[in-house]
Amino acid sequence: MKVFKFGGASIETVERALHVAQIIEQHQDEKLVVIVSAKGKTTNALEEIVRAYFNGDINLATTLFQALEKNHNDYAQELLGDEASAAIQKLKEFYTEIEWILAETPVRSFNYYYDQVVSMGELLSTTLIAAYLQKIGLSVKWLDVRDILKTDHNYRDANIHWEETEQHAHRHFDEAFLQHEIIITQGYIGCTDENHTVTLGREGSDYTAAVFANMLNAKSVTIWKDVPSLLNADPKQFPNTIAIPEITFHEVIEMAFYGAQVIHPKTIKPLFSKDIPLYVKCFLDPTLPGTIIHNTTKAIAYPPILVLKRKQILLQVTTKDYSFITENNLSNIYNLFASCKIKINLIQNAAISFVACIDSDLELLEELLTVLQKEYVVKRNEDLFLFTVRHYTEDILQEELKNRTVLLEQKTRQTIQMVVR
Ligand code: ASP
Ligand code: MG
């Protein structure tokens, strides 16, 4: 059995969905678990709807939701033609779930409503793709992943109840595979024991694919993307990128950790632990070789890998009484950051001051400043970039730093990290 994951861009238009169906059709030598994201920018649109709802702007929420319904119905019509009505009927059942929510005044947390509403994107997209695959005669079973993937109720970043999910996965997938060749289900979403829908964090569909691959001992996972392969940098940020045909799990997890938006960072661990290779392939041209990500002891020569993280803030925290930044102050400062749920991307400390580079999340930052300023003097520098280069060379640094000012730098043999302007 193999696992395929298709992201939102791969089914953004009906034309692309037909491409996806062709890819699935051509890979029927094996049983397939197909994980699909919400189509196009649906997740972002749903986020807007839930924000409007929670802010009390029901008119806006309703208008936006009607546009989303129309968009999905039109897509269904174009994709399925004469056979659209059954699928649209099923879509309507999902729409009703949201309409019920929008009709009530919110009494629970924003994150709770976020997950109830935003999870809809994947339910709609998988319904459409499954209907099309059935229409062209493939042996397909659609599963509601909420019957399988069980989590705690940490809304928007739910933690999987592993053993329970594994049991459900075996039961549901094994049973479906008795009669079908292809199982299609939703990425990114799950369900609590109390039957509330949750999400696993933005871009979490990659993670879902890895989780099921692990539990079902898949031969491989393939993530179908709109790029020809994994690249050494984001082509939207750097004009000259280089393809990476082969890369280790370790290297990818480092890239993701530094902020490269290649693959959801949680994806690697479940694959690494069962030694399941991960392929990145291009859905626009499946004949391209793509990238293999796996465990290998072979030495791979990598090009410099560039990761540019935007919207960074540099905080300088200085003791008020000239006490040193050693264990006591360090652990105190760390705890204050952690208590405000702020992740530190880079640190450097001197005698009486501590410098941290963090993402700019203004709400969290306000809270952090309030607690820090009780004990320390805090200065900040905004609108910065955190620029990381793995496997750096002097040439690449010279080239990339031409028009930038470096505020802080940290270097090991493999990696250089700089906070730049
Ligand atoms: N649809 C979700 C998102 O856009 C999950 C995913 O695409 O993986 O974040
Ligand atoms: Mg997506």
Side-chain angles (χ1 to χ4, degrees), residues 284-328:
L284 299 168
D285 185 355
T287 61
L288 295 174
T291 297
I292 176 169
I293 305 166
H294 62 162
N295 279 327
T296 172
T297 48
K298 171 171 115 193
I300 301 174
Y302 295 110
I305 295 175
L306 316 179
V307 183
L308 189 65
K309 218 168 184 294
R310 291 165 194 275
K311 289 196 191 162
Q312 298 294 297
I313 294 181
L314 208 52
L315 284 186
Q316 187 187 46
V317 182
T318 308
T319 55
K320 287 182 179 170
D321 57 358
Y322 269 49
S323 64
F324 289 126
I325 297 281
T326 48
E327 292 79 356
N328 285 345

Side-chain angles (χ1 to χ4, degrees), residues 298-367:
K298 171 171 115 193
I300 301 174
Y302 295 110
I305 295 175
L306 316 179
V307 183
L308 189 65
K309 218 168 184 294
R310 291 165 194 275
K311 289 196 191 162
Q312 298 294 297
I313 294 181
L314 208 52
L315 284 186
Q316 187 187 46
V317 182
T318 308
T319 55
K320 287 182 179 170
D321 57 358
Y322 269 49
S323 64
F324 289 126
I325 297 281
T326 48
E327 292 79 356
N328 285 345
N329 271 314
L330 265 182
S331 64
N332 183 37
I333 295 171
Y334 252 104
N335 284 334
L336 294 175
F337 276 76
S339 69
C340 298
K341 295 200 169 171
I342 292 192
K343 195 184 142 254
I344 301 175
N345 296 327
L346 184 80
I347 59 162
Q348 204 163 67
N349 64 304
I352 59 162
S353 68
F354 169 94
V355 177
C357 177
I358 58 174
D359 295 343
S360 95
D361 182 325
L362 294 179
E363 282 154 27
L364 297 181
L365 185 67
E366 281 312 311
E367 208 182 311

Side-chain angles (χ1 to χ4, degrees), residues 401-414:
L401 295 173
K402 263 190 319 220
N403 304 315
R404 299 188 190 278
T405 315
V406 178
L407 283 85
L408 189 155
E409 177 182 312
Q410 244 167 44
K411 211 168 178 177
T412 65
R413 264 197 312 161
Q414 297 261 331

